[in-house]
């Protein structure tokens, strides 16, 4: 077999580091406590990672800027009636219930139910109370979601 079709990796090769999600102009870099801790841990990990020094220096600088601009948002003191940043939100529609947590851009992982506060779904939910029905335009058409629960319990570490 040709060498071009084989894959050789060494322990010293750096893993590919995905680029940071962009923040829209003028939008604060809100993070949860969990998100800020993960950014700091990622920065520490980059310091020890082998690889191209120039690329790693750029990545460290980018992470340092994100950490420097991070605004940690505490859970609201008024309880869990309204959807705010950091909320765990359960919604229902005709297909059943789904759970989301509204987080910072760097924390977002839709496959895990963590959605960025700037996403269309989060924007539709923010400020609404339990019992509210929100309408969301999707590629499949308009969807109605009822907010059935909101809480601000800390997310367990993964």
């Amino acid at each position: 077999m040709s060498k071009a079709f084989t894959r050789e990796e060494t322990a010293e090769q750096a893993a590919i580091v995905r680029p940071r999600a962009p923040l829209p102009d003028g939008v604060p870099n809100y993070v949860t406590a969990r998100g800020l801790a993960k950014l700091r841990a990622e920065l520490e990990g980059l310091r020890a990672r082998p690889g191209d020094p120039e690329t790693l220096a750029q990545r460290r600088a980018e992470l340092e800027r994100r950490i420097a601009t991070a605004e940690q948002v505490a859970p609201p003191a008024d309880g869990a009636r309204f959807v705010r940043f950091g909320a765990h939100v359960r919604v229902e529609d005709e297909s059943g219930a789904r759970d989301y947590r509204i987080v910072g851009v760097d924390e977002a992982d839709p496959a895990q139910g963590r959605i960025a506060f700037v996403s269309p779904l989060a924007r539709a939910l923010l400020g609404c109370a339990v019992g509210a029905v929100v309408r969301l335009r999707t590629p499949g058409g308009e969807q109605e979601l009822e907010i059935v629960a909101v809480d601000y319990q800390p997310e367990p570490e993964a």
Side-chain angles (χ1 to χ4, degrees), residues 54-74:
E54 185 177 321
T55 300
L56 291 174
Q58 289 173 350
R59 300 303 299 211
R60 281 192 300 271
E62 184 180 25
L63 264 173
E64 288 167 349
R65 278 192 301 274
R66 283 293 176 104
I67 291 168
T69 61
E71 294 182 31
Q72 186 175 332
V73 178

PDB file of all heavy atoms in Angstrom, residues 54-74:
ATOM      1  N   GLU A  54       4.365  28.483  16.947  1.00  0.00           N
ATOM      2  CA  GLU A  54       3.630  29.669  16.487  1.00  0.00           C
ATOM      3  C   GLU A  54       2.123  29.438  16.565  1.00  0.00           C
ATOM      4  O   GLU A  54       1.375  30.293  17.044  1.00  0.00           O
ATOM      5  CB  GLU A  54       4.034  30.016  15.052  1.00  0.00           C
ATOM      6  CG  GLU A  54       3.395  31.301  14.564  1.00  0.00           C
ATOM      7  CD  GLU A  54       3.876  31.666  13.162  1.00  0.00           C
ATOM      8  OE1 GLU A  54       5.061  31.481  12.867  1.00  0.00           O
ATOM      9  OE2 GLU A  54       3.032  32.141  12.398  1.00  0.00           O
ATOM     10  N   THR A  55       1.686  28.284  16.117  1.00  0.00           N
ATOM     11  CA  THR A  55       0.264  27.958  16.165  1.00  0.00           C
ATOM     12  C   THR A  55      -0.229  27.904  17.601  1.00  0.00           C
ATOM     13  O   THR A  55      -1.291  28.448  17.930  1.00  0.00           O
ATOM     14  CB  THR A  55       0.002  26.600  15.476  1.00  0.00           C
ATOM     15  OG1 THR A  55       0.434  26.696  14.124  1.00  0.00           O
ATOM     16  CG2 THR A  55      -1.469  26.224  15.530  1.00  0.00           C
ATOM     17  N   LEU A  56       0.540  27.264  18.462  1.00  0.00           N
ATOM     18  CA  LEU A  56       0.141  27.159  19.873  1.00  0.00           C
ATOM     19  C   LEU A  56       0.128  28.531  20.539  1.00  0.00           C
ATOM     20  O   LEU A  56      -0.752  28.816  21.354  1.00  0.00           O
ATOM     21  CB  LEU A  56       1.048  26.196  20.618  1.00  0.00           C
ATOM     22  CG  LEU A  56       0.888  24.727  20.221  1.00  0.00           C
ATOM     23  CD1 LEU A  56       1.926  23.863  20.905  1.00  0.00           C
ATOM     24  CD2 LEU A  56      -0.509  24.237  20.539  1.00  0.00           C
ATOM     25  N   ALA A  57       1.066  29.395  20.187  1.00  0.00           N
ATOM     26  CA  ALA A  57       1.092  30.748  20.757  1.00  0.00           C
ATOM     27  C   ALA A  57      -0.149  31.525  20.337  1.00  0.00           C
ATOM     28  O   ALA A  57      -0.743  32.253  21.147  1.00  0.00           O
ATOM     29  CB  ALA A  57       2.360  31.479  20.326  1.00  0.00           C
ATOM     30  N   GLN A  58      -0.569  31.363  19.083  1.00  0.00           N
ATOM     31  CA  GLN A  58      -1.789  32.037  18.618  1.00  0.00           C
ATOM     32  C   GLN A  58      -3.009  31.516  19.371  1.00  0.00           C
ATOM     33  O   GLN A  58      -3.878  32.287  19.767  1.00  0.00           O
ATOM     34  CB  GLN A  58      -1.983  31.812  17.117  1.00  0.00           C
ATOM     35  CG  GLN A  58      -1.000  32.552  16.267  1.00  0.00           C
ATOM     36  CD  GLN A  58      -1.118  32.179  14.797  1.00  0.00           C
ATOM     37  OE1 GLN A  58      -1.808  31.237  14.421  1.00  0.00           O
ATOM     38  NE2 GLN A  58      -0.428  32.929  13.951  1.00  0.00           N
ATOM     39  N   ARG A  59      -3.076  30.197  19.570  1.00  0.00           N
ATOM     40  CA  ARG A  59      -4.205  29.601  20.283  1.00  0.00           C
ATOM     41  C   ARG A  59      -4.233  30.067  21.734  1.00  0.00           C
ATOM     42  O   ARG A  59      -5.295  30.372  22.277  1.00  0.00           O
ATOM     43  CB  ARG A  59      -4.145  28.073  20.227  1.00  0.00           C
ATOM     44  CG  ARG A  59      -4.172  27.478  18.842  1.00  0.00           C
ATOM     45  CD  ARG A  59      -5.379  27.920  18.095  1.00  0.00           C
ATOM     46  NE  ARG A  59      -6.560  27.492  18.782  1.00  0.00           N
ATOM     47  CZ  ARG A  59      -7.697  27.185  18.236  1.00  0.00           C
ATOM     48  NH1 ARG A  59      -7.815  27.248  16.945  1.00  0.00           N
ATOM     49  NH2 ARG A  59      -8.724  26.821  18.950  1.00  0.00           N
ATOM     50  N   ARG A  60      -3.058  30.108  22.371  1.00  0.00           N
ATOM     51  CA  ARG A  60      -2.999  30.584  23.766  1.00  0.00           C
ATOM     52  C   ARG A  60      -3.455  32.034  23.854  1.00  0.00           C
ATOM     53  O   ARG A  60      -4.220  32.398  24.743  1.00  0.00           O
ATOM     54  CB  ARG A  60      -1.591  30.424  24.326  1.00  0.00           C
ATOM     55  CG  ARG A  60      -1.267  29.011  24.767  1.00  0.00           C
ATOM     56  CD  ARG A  60       0.008  28.952  25.577  1.00  0.00           C
ATOM     57  NE  ARG A  60       1.165  29.424  24.840  1.00  0.00           N
ATOM     58  CZ  ARG A  60       1.947  28.654  24.082  1.00  0.00           C
ATOM     59  NH1 ARG A  60       1.688  27.375  23.957  1.00  0.00           N
ATOM     60  NH2 ARG A  60       2.971  29.162  23.444  1.00  0.00           N
ATOM     61  N   ALA A  61      -3.002  32.865  22.921  1.00  0.00           N
ATOM     62  CA  ALA A  61      -3.395  34.287  22.922  1.00  0.00           C
ATOM     63  C   ALA A  61      -4.899  34.421  22.751  1.00  0.00           C
ATOM     64  O   ALA A  61      -5.542  35.233  23.427  1.00  0.00           O
ATOM     65  CB  ALA A  61      -2.650  35.039  21.822  1.00  0.00           C
ATOM     66  N   GLU A  62      -5.476  33.614  21.863  1.00  0.00           N
ATOM     67  CA  GLU A  62      -6.922  33.647  21.644  1.00  0.00           C
ATOM     68  C   GLU A  62      -7.676  33.244  22.920  1.00  0.00           C
ATOM     69  O   GLU A  62      -8.637  33.895  23.322  1.00  0.00           O
ATOM     70  CB  GLU A  62      -7.271  32.706  20.491  1.00  0.00           C
ATOM     71  CG  GLU A  62      -8.715  32.732  20.099  1.00  0.00           C
ATOM     72  CD  GLU A  62      -9.019  31.781  18.950  1.00  0.00           C
ATOM     73  OE1 GLU A  62      -8.290  30.793  18.760  1.00  0.00           O
ATOM     74  OE2 GLU A  62     -10.008  32.054  18.261  1.00  0.00           O
ATOM     75  N   LEU A  63      -7.210  32.182  23.572  1.00  0.00           N
ATOM     76  CA  LEU A  63      -7.842  31.745  24.819  1.00  0.00           C
ATOM     77  C   LEU A  63      -7.679  32.786  25.917  1.00  0.00           C
ATOM     78  O   LEU A  63      -8.616  33.054  26.675  1.00  0.00           O
ATOM     79  CB  LEU A  63      -7.227  30.422  25.290  1.00  0.00           C
ATOM     80  CG  LEU A  63      -7.961  29.173  24.896  1.00  0.00           C
ATOM     81  CD1 LEU A  63      -7.155  27.937  25.265  1.00  0.00           C
ATOM     82  CD2 LEU A  63      -9.331  29.104  25.489  1.00  0.00           C
ATOM     83  N   GLU A  64      -6.497  33.373  26.021  1.00  0.00           N
ATOM     84  CA  GLU A  64      -6.265  34.411  27.031  1.00  0.00           C
ATOM     85  C   GLU A  64      -7.194  35.601  26.828  1.00  0.00           C
ATOM     86  O   GLU A  64      -7.708  36.167  27.790  1.00  0.00           O
ATOM     87  CB  GLU A  64      -4.794  34.835  27.019  1.00  0.00           C
ATOM     88  CG  GLU A  64      -3.880  33.770  27.600  1.00  0.00           C
ATOM     89  CD  GLU A  64      -2.408  34.012  27.330  1.00  0.00           C
ATOM     90  OE1 GLU A  64      -2.058  34.908  26.505  1.00  0.00           O
ATOM     91  OE2 GLU A  64      -1.583  33.288  27.933  1.00  0.00           O
ATOM     92  N   ARG A  65      -7.441  35.967  25.539  1.00  0.00           N
ATOM     93  CA  ARG A  65      -8.383  37.067  25.255  1.00  0.00           C
ATOM     94  C   ARG A  65      -9.793  36.680  25.687  1.00  0.00           C
ATOM     95  O   ARG A  65     -10.513  37.489  26.274  1.00  0.00           O
ATOM     96  CB  ARG A  65      -8.376  37.404  23.762  1.00  0.00           C
ATOM     97  CG  ARG A  65      -7.253  38.299  23.332  1.00  0.00           C
ATOM     98  CD  ARG A  65      -7.444  38.835  21.915  1.00  0.00           C
ATOM     99  NE  ARG A  65      -7.560  37.783  20.905  1.00  0.00           N
ATOM    100  CZ  ARG A  65      -6.539  37.193  20.301  1.00  0.00           C
ATOM    101  NH1 ARG A  65      -5.306  37.533  20.606  1.00  0.00           N
ATOM    102  NH2 ARG A  65      -6.751  36.256  19.387  1.00  0.00           N
ATOM    103  N   ARG A  66     -10.200  35.447  25.404  1.00  0.00           N
ATOM    104  CA  ARG A  66     -11.541  35.006  25.798  1.00  0.00           C
ATOM    105  C   ARG A  66     -11.692  35.025  27.309  1.00  0.00           C
ATOM    106  O   ARG A  66     -12.714  35.448  27.835  1.00  0.00           O
ATOM    107  CB  ARG A  66     -11.846  33.602  25.265  1.00  0.00           C
ATOM    108  CG  ARG A  66     -12.193  33.561  23.806  1.00  0.00           C
ATOM    109  CD  ARG A  66     -13.543  34.286  23.563  1.00  0.00           C
ATOM    110  NE  ARG A  66     -13.855  34.332  22.167  1.00  0.00           N
ATOM    111  CZ  ARG A  66     -14.742  33.567  21.567  1.00  0.00           C
ATOM    112  NH1 ARG A  66     -15.442  32.706  22.231  1.00  0.00           N
ATOM    113  NH2 ARG A  66     -14.931  33.670  20.280  1.00  0.00           N
ATOM    114  N   ILE A  67     -10.687  34.562  28.009  1.00  0.00           N
ATOM    115  CA  ILE A  67     -10.752  34.539  29.476  1.00  0.00           C
ATOM    116  C   ILE A  67     -10.766  35.963  30.018  1.00  0.00           C
ATOM    117  O   ILE A  67     -11.525  36.278  30.944  1.00  0.00           O
ATOM    118  CB  ILE A  67      -9.592  33.703  30.053  1.00  0.00           C
ATOM    119  CG1 ILE A  67      -9.807  32.215  29.701  1.00  0.00           C
ATOM    120  CG2 ILE A  67      -9.472  33.899  31.561  1.00  0.00           C
ATOM    121  CD1 ILE A  67      -8.603  31.330  29.966  1.00  0.00           C
ATOM    122  N   ALA A  68      -9.950  36.838  29.429  1.00  0.00           N
ATOM    123  CA  ALA A  68      -9.886  38.227  29.894  1.00  0.00           C
ATOM    124  C   ALA A  68     -11.205  38.966  29.692  1.00  0.00           C
ATOM    125  O   ALA A  68     -11.563  39.844  30.481  1.00  0.00           O
ATOM    126  CB  ALA A  68      -8.748  38.970  29.186  1.00  0.00           C
ATOM    127  N   THR A  69     -11.950  38.602  28.646  1.00  0.00           N
ATOM    128  CA  THR A  69     -13.216  39.295  28.379  1.00  0.00           C
ATOM    129  C   THR A  69     -14.425  38.566  28.962  1.00  0.00           C
ATOM    130  O   THR A  69     -15.551  39.052  28.841  1.00  0.00           O
ATOM    131  CB  THR A  69     -13.442  39.463  26.859  1.00  0.00           C
ATOM    132  OG1 THR A  69     -13.510  38.172  26.244  1.00  0.00           O
ATOM    133  CG2 THR A  69     -12.337  40.297  26.227  1.00  0.00           C
ATOM    134  N   ALA A  70     -14.197  37.403  29.572  1.00  0.00           N
ATOM    135  CA  ALA A  70     -15.305  36.607  30.108  1.00  0.00           C
ATOM    136  C   ALA A  70     -16.019  37.349  31.233  1.00  0.00           C
ATOM    137  O   ALA A  70     -15.392  37.936  32.107  1.00  0.00           O
ATOM    138  CB  ALA A  70     -14.789  35.268  30.621  1.00  0.00           C
ATOM    139  N   GLU A  71     -17.342  37.320  31.175  1.00  0.00           N
ATOM    140  CA  GLU A  71     -18.182  37.886  32.235  1.00  0.00           C
ATOM    141  C   GLU A  71     -18.994  36.737  32.811  1.00  0.00           C
ATOM    142  O   GLU A  71     -19.968  36.290  32.207  1.00  0.00           O
ATOM    143  CB  GLU A  71     -19.117  38.961  31.679  1.00  0.00           C
ATOM    144  CG  GLU A  71     -18.408  40.188  31.164  1.00  0.00           C
ATOM    145  CD  GLU A  71     -19.375  41.251  30.665  1.00  0.00           C
ATOM    146  OE1 GLU A  71     -20.505  41.350  31.208  1.00  0.00           O
ATOM    147  OE2 GLU A  71     -19.002  41.972  29.728  1.00  0.00           O
ATOM    148  N   GLN A  72     -18.551  36.272  33.985  1.00  0.00           N
ATOM    149  CA  GLN A  72     -19.254  35.157  34.612  1.00  0.00           C
ATOM    150  C   GLN A  72     -20.598  35.633  35.131  1.00  0.00           C
ATOM    151  O   GLN A  72     -20.695  36.640  35.828  1.00  0.00           O
ATOM    152  CB  GLN A  72     -18.428  34.576  35.757  1.00  0.00           C
ATOM    153  CG  GLN A  72     -19.049  33.338  36.347  1.00  0.00           C
ATOM    154  CD  GLN A  72     -18.164  32.706  37.405  1.00  0.00           C
ATOM    155  OE1 GLN A  72     -16.953  32.842  37.367  1.00  0.00           O
ATOM    156  NE2 GLN A  72     -18.776  32.018  38.338  1.00  0.00           N
ATOM    157  N   VAL A  73     -21.639  34.915  34.765  1.00  0.00           N
ATOM    158  CA  VAL A  73     -23.003  35.280  35.144  1.00  0.00           C
ATOM    159  C   VAL A  73     -23.478  34.329  36.233  1.00  0.00           C
ATOM    160  O   VAL A  73     -23.495  33.115  36.040  1.00  0.00           O
ATOM    161  CB  VAL A  73     -23.956  35.216  33.925  1.00  0.00           C
ATOM    162  CG1 VAL A  73     -25.380  35.551  34.325  1.00  0.00           C
ATOM    163  CG2 VAL A  73     -23.463  36.145  32.819  1.00  0.00           C
ATOM    164  N   ALA A  74     -23.857  34.902  37.361  1.00  0.00           N
ATOM    165  CA  ALA A  74     -24.372  34.097  38.475  1.00  0.00           C
ATOM    166  C   ALA A  74     -25.846  33.795  38.250  1.00  0.00           C
ATOM    167  O   ALA A  74     -26.556  34.559  37.585  1.00  0.00           O
ATOM    168  CB  ALA A  74     -24.192  34.865  39.783  1.00  0.00           C
TER     169      ALA A  74
END
